[in-house]
Amino acid sequence: MATAEKPTEITFSNDVVKVSLHVDEDGSVYFQDILPAGAPPRAQGTAHFASSATPLCEVRLSGERNSQSKTSKALVGSYVGTRLKYKSSSISHQARQKVLDVTLHDEQTGIAVTCHLTLFDGISVLRSSTTIHNEGKKDVVVTQISSLVIGGLTRFNEWWSEFTVSSATNTWFREAQWHERSLPDVGLDDVGVYQLDQGHLAPMSIFNVSNRGTFSTQGHLPIGMLKRRDNAETWLWQVENNGSWKWELGDWKDDIYLALSGPDSNDHDWRQKLSPGETFTSATAAVCHLFGDADAAFGALTQYRRRIRRDHPDHQHLPVIFNDYMNCLMGDPTDEKILALVKPVARSGAEYFVIDAGWYADDNDWWDDVGAWEPSAKRFPMGFGSLLDRIRAAGLQPGLWLEAEVIGTRSAEADALPPEAYFQRDGARVVEKNRFQLDFRHAAVVARMDGVVDRLVATYGVRYFKFDYNIEVTQGTDVDCSSAGAGQLGHNRAYLGWVAGLLDRHPGLVIENCSSGAQRMDDAMNAVHTLQSTSDQQDPVRYAAIAAAIHTAVAPEQAATWAYPQPGWDDETNALTVVNALISGRVHLSGRLDLLAPRQLDLVCRGMHVYKEMRRDIAAAVSFWPLGFAKWHDDWLAAGLRVVDGGGDGSGGERGAGKCYLAVWRRGGQESCELPISFIMGSKDVAISLLYPEMPGTKLEVAGSGLRATIPSKIGARLFSISWS
């Protein structure tokens, strides 16, 4: 269906959500609402909701900054945004999804902007991106283009007291840590809103979270949440770009707006020149709005993540992966060390054996010498192929670690490619931590790395790659592009295309996304890569706070979490590191399995057996957090996986028979903790089973408005199965 005749309202829906756009008399378009299917229109509690609406798209061109009273540091208030008028709209139907395209036109410059809105069957999440097309006769330079802008989020007269905003810090060793704040605490308040002189639409306050550089999630996850204090309404959003991005909340007249964006000029040195006839498409973004709590919103987002990613059999099979790095060989593999591990690894129940860093170097001084990606004859005198044959003979599939995007400054390969194949600024090659950054826009880079991967697959039968990335380039590259930020974005997109090409040629290959743990844990990467490393944290007790919150960032069946038992740890600590991985959804086994006592190895084997029994449910499960999102220093943590039948989005309200897995950690404090779990309450028959580990004194029982967990040890973790009817 397509129409060029100007409507007053455009509606767009699937079976669970309805999207409404309004077109005013002048042809400006803005979001009217995003609501669960069947929900009545929200009451317009503010006095002048219409003035709280923001343009459907915000675009800034070079030289044009701020057209209205909001600061030009904001993502709203652009000249082009106010000039864009309705031109046409169409709805197309694709496999299990539909797309609404709304095209707007700016008569002054001749540019056309098409907003692409996508809904997937059965999922209450809206996906959005924006394409700009220069239909004029002159070049234009775009300095900002939004992925999604929505005004009038709350419809509350006192929105500043009724809602809170949450964001997640994400740093090396301390990933996915959520922080909730009041709106006044981030500078969004009623002060001055109702005392502004006529014509002023808002004060200059904004709250934004952004990232610049090749570590897309270093510092923060590209995710945010706005929810009512009574948990009756939640907005949840994310930006999907494996580089620079930004999201912001701000007050606009009588309410709050949300704006999501990839790189822009202000924060990321991004500018895109468009000659007549040329186009550019923004980063994608997604938003969910429902009348429920954070658990329900993340349930919907989890199912959305499953829908947008590349299909791979690994997501259903969920094999156990052993990797020899963390708290094990730590980048120093040899024939002798690997062979000592093979037998206990096979006995543990692992299905892959991944040789991590160091396999290509004769000694440990390899950081700035990487790039040839040939196995070391000194480390593996029996022959690398023979070693991998021994791994296969034990029933394990071999895998390797690789940093595809860098070449060390001391490497013999450092000058093997044309100068334009590396990131540059002002004619100088970018150097970061004694590595050069390769630019995957260049055909020679793609050809070289295709050759490396194809050779390792063909010669050695490698079936798994851990693609790591351990430098952060904030400079971008100014080679063959409009700006350094545009060069970086081009590389980001070309890299994803390269990985997709590998999987096209090698469909059974498993490719893990790792970047100093989880410094690129975004949904552009996870939509292409098979699974995601969650941290490089080496302390299992601290890791528990990451494991308990990681499903806010990645689907359970992609969340690769370390379990690294040690011979010097007690049984409670070794069991805790296993529980971390069991509830996260993907086991990344490591640790000195070769040095464990038989009793200790049996404890690990029991954990892997439990995982293989529960993994059949993980790919259709959504997460819940009885104690809220884990805090880094909390004594008690809890996280669960609720099995969702029939592929529902888990967006809340389901009752009746059900099943879930619940992990509980004690890291101090009293020996018991109350756990409210609303969807179990009211059930007549609740069956609770302790799955792992079987330690004396452990209890989980119905008590009051929830469950009560008891763990006698001050440091311990338990995994339970709960069913109810």
Side-chain angles (χ1 to χ4, degrees):
M1 179 184 71
T3 179
E5 182 179 343
K6 187 183 77 173
T8 58
E9 185 177 13
I10 304 170
T11 59
F12 176 55
S13 63
N14 62 14
D15 50 333
V16 291
V17 65
K18 178 180 178 181
V19 178
S20 301
L21 306 180
H22 180 72
V23 185
D24 69 15
E25 293 181 355
D26 294 330
S28 296
V29 185
Y30 56 84
F31 274 100
Q32 178 108 342
D33 226 332
I34 303 173
L35 289 170
R42 287 186 295 165
Q44 298 181 5
T46 54
H48 304 288
F49 163 68
S51 64
S52 300
T54 53
L56 184 62
C57 178
E58 292 279 10
V59 175
R60 282 187 167 90
L61 304 179
S62 186
E64 292 187 349
R65 296 305 305 161
N66 187 28
S67 70
Q68 301 183 45
S69 58
K70 203 71 176 176
T71 170
S72 61
K73 295 177 183 177
L75 292 172
V76 299
S78 68
Y79 280 95
V80 176
T82 61
R83 297 197 304 256
L84 287 171
K85 306 301 179 186
Y86 178 89
K87 182 179 180 181
S88 65
S89 61
S90 64
I91 296 177
S92 59
H93 296 261
Q94 303 172 21
R96 299 191 300 160
Q97 68 186 63
K98 60 175 66 173
V99 180
L100 168 64
D101 290 327
V102 180
T103 299
L104 313 171
H105 186 262
D106 174 22
E107 185 175 353
Q108 180 172 317
T109 62
I111 65 170
V113 173
T114 300
C115 298
H116 312 286
L117 305 177
T118 303
L119 290 175
F120 300 88
D121 293 353
I123 297 176
S124 54
V125 176
L126 174 69
R127 196 181 205 196
S128 177
S129 64
T130 307
T131 297
I132 183 169
H133 180 208
N134 185 2
E135 296 179 345
K137 298 181 179 180
K138 298 180 180 179
D139 292 348
V140 296
V141 177
V142 184
T143 61
Q144 175 203 314
I145 180 168
S146 63
S147 301
L148 179 68
V149 184
I150 306 173
L153 263 63
T154 76
R155 313 294 168 89
F156 271 69
N157 285 318
E158 296 186 356
W159 46 262
W160 53 88
S161 65
E162 296 288 344
F163 285 79
T164 63
V165 60
S166 297
S167 59
T169 56
N170 194 77
T171 59
W172 200 20
F173 310 136
R174 194 172 175 172
E175 288 83 355
Q177 297 304 291
W178 283 82
H179 309 275
E180 182 178 5
R181 284 166 281 187
S182 73
L183 292 175
D185 281 348
V186 299
L188 303 177
D189 207 338
D190 68 327
V191 177
V193 171
Y194 298 109
Q195 290 77 41
L196 293 172
D197 293 335
Q198 188 175 5
H200 290 273
L201 299 180
M204 294 185 180
S205 56
I206 52 174
F207 173 65
N208 63 53
V209 178
S210 67
N211 175 78
R212 175 172 178 162
T214 51
F215 272 2
S216 59
T217 58
Q218 201 291 314
H220 289 87
L221 295 176
I223 311 170
M225 180 168 59
L226 181 76
K227 69 179 183 69
R228 274 171 46 183
R229 291 185 182 275
D230 62 3
N231 292 317
E233 183 178 2
T234 303
W235 288 89
L236 180 65
W237 58 84
Q238 66 177 24
V239 184
E240 300 163 5
N241 188 43
N242 57 323
S244 301
W245 52 266
K246 182 177 180 179
W247 65 257
E248 78 179 27
L249 289 177
D251 45 357
W252 189 257
K253 196 70 174 186
D254 301 315
D255 212 324
I256 293 290
Y257 72 86
L258 168 68
L260 310 176
S261 173
D264 67 5
S265 177
N266 274 356
D267 294 285
H268 314 107
D269 194 18
W270 178 88
R271 295 172 301 284
Q272 182 67 49
K273 179 181 177 182
L274 295 179
S275 297
E278 292 185 334
T279 64
F280 171 81
T281 298
S282 73
T284 57
V287 64
C288 173
H289 176 222
L290 49 77
F291 297 122
D293 60 10
D295 288 4
F298 274 106
L301 190 62
T302 295
Q303 299 292 30
Y304 165 79
R305 287 167 170 161
R306 289 168 172 155
R307 190 68 62 86
I308 66 171
R309 72 189 175 199
R310 181 188 181 101
D311 288 336
H312 197 288
D314 178 86
H315 298 148
Q316 299 299 321
H317 298 157
L318 278 61
V320 176
I321 299 146
F322 179 86
N323 179 298
D324 70 18
Y325 184 81
M326 190 59 69
N327 289 347
C328 189
L329 302 186
M330 300 298 289
D332 190 24
T334 64
D335 277 341
E336 182 181 4
K337 293 176 181 178
I338 295 294
L339 290 175
L341 282 163
V342 167
K343 186 175 180 179
V345 168
R347 184 187 165 196
S348 75
E351 291 146 294
Y352 282 85
F353 192 118
V354 179
I355 301 174
D356 206 279
W359 59 271
Y360 38 78
D362 288 343
D363 54 44
N364 287 335
D365 188 25
W366 50 257
W367 174 264
D368 55 359
D369 194 30
V370 296
W373 307 117
E374 294 282 357
S376 166
K378 181 179 179 181
R379 287 183 181 273
F380 310 110
M382 69 180 292
F384 199 56
S386 296
L387 177 63
L388 297 194
D389 285 343
R390 297 278 290 272
I391 290 172
R392 269 187 292 270
L396 300 162
Q397 292 293 323
L400 291 178
W401 178 96
L402 197 67
E403 275 194 273
E405 295 166 78
V406 300
I407 292 182
T409 55
R410 287 195 305 113
S411 173
E413 303 291 317
D415 295 314
L417 294 170
E420 297 79 15
Y422 303 89
F423 271 35
Q424 296 183 36
R425 286 302 299 266
D426 303 314
R429 192 185 297 188
V430 171
V431 181
E432 183 74 23
K433 294 183 180 178
N434 295 322
R435 267 108 175 267
F436 298 124
Q437 169 73 48
L438 295 175
D439 189 340
F440 272 73
R441 295 178 300 158
H442 200 287
V445 173
V446 173
R448 179 180 184 276
M449 292 314 302
D450 274 348
V452 167
V453 172
D454 291 348
R455 169 173 51 82
L456 293 171
V457 170
T459 304
Y460 300 110
V462 175
R463 304 306 301 149
Y464 184 110
F465 281 101
K466 175 179 178 178
F467 281 176
D468 208 344
Y469 178 73
N470 292 298
I471 65 173
E472 180 182 19
V473 179
T474 58
Q475 301 177 67
T477 178
D478 57 13
V479 175
D480 296 330
C481 54
S482 303
S483 63
Q488 180 189 301
L489 180 62
H491 159 76
N492 297 148
R493 293 176 173 182
Y495 173 76
L496 292 176
W498 174 69
V499 175
L502 293 180
L503 292 169
D504 287 342
R505 292 201 307 281
H506 308 288
L509 196 63
V510 176
I511 301 180
E512 173 191 346
N513 175 34
C514 180
S515 183
S516 291
Q519 302 309 289
R520 295 198 298 189
M521 189 164 52
D522 62 78
D523 273 305
M525 295 289 276
N526 287 330
V528 177
H529 293 75
T530 318
L531 69 168
Q532 167 70 55
S533 173
T534 60
S535 186
D536 280 346
Q537 174 58 249
Q538 291 181 258
D539 182 338
V541 180
R542 290 186 172 91
Y543 207 143
I546 301 168
I550 201 63
H551 296 157
T552 61
V554 59
E557 63 274 18
Q558 290 181 279
T561 296
W562 292 108
Y564 34 54
Q566 299 297 311
W569 291 352
D570 62 22
D571 287 351
E572 284 284 9
T573 305
N574 278 330
L576 184 148
T577 191
V578 172
V579 170
N580 288 347
L582 296 182
I583 197 63
S584 292
R586 291 306 299 270
V587 176
H588 251 39
L589 189 60
S590 193
R592 295 310 303 261
L593 302 191
D594 55 323
L595 301 181
L596 296 182
R599 171 184 52 81
Q600 293 174 314
L601 185 57
D602 284 345
L603 182 65
V604 175
C605 293
R606 289 200 300 272
M608 298 306 102
H609 176 75
V610 167
Y611 178 73
K612 290 182 178 181
E613 289 296 311
M614 66 183 286
R615 65 183 173 184
R616 69 190 70 175
D617 294 326
I618 291 174
V622 296
S623 300
F624 64 96
W625 296 270
L627 299 176
F629 299 144
K631 300 294 191 298
W632 192 248
H633 297 288
D634 284 352
D635 289 336
W636 283 85
L637 311 172
L641 289 170
R642 184 179 179 188
V643 181
V644 178
D645 295 327
D649 71 359
S651 57
E654 305 98 332
R655 292 195 179 274
K659 177 182 179 182
C660 70
Y661 299 96
L662 176 67
V664 183
W665 295 262
R666 182 186 174 195
R667 306 189 300 176
Q670 301 297 317
E671 69 172 19
S672 295
C673 180
E674 303 295 322
L675 305 172
I677 304 180
S678 61
F679 55 79
I680 294 177
M681 293 308 96
S683 300
K684 295 181 180 180
D685 186 14
V686 178
I688 300 172
S689 299
L690 174 62
L691 296 181
Y692 182 85
E694 296 180 2
M695 298 290 189
T698 301
K699 295 180 182 178
L700 184 67
E701 52 197 346
V702 177
S705 61
L707 303 177
R708 179 186 296 115
T710 300
I711 299 177
S713 174
K714 286 189 176 180
I715 299 296
R718 304 290 186 266
L719 179 68
F720 300 92
S721 172
I722 307 172
S723 60
W724 63 93
S725 60

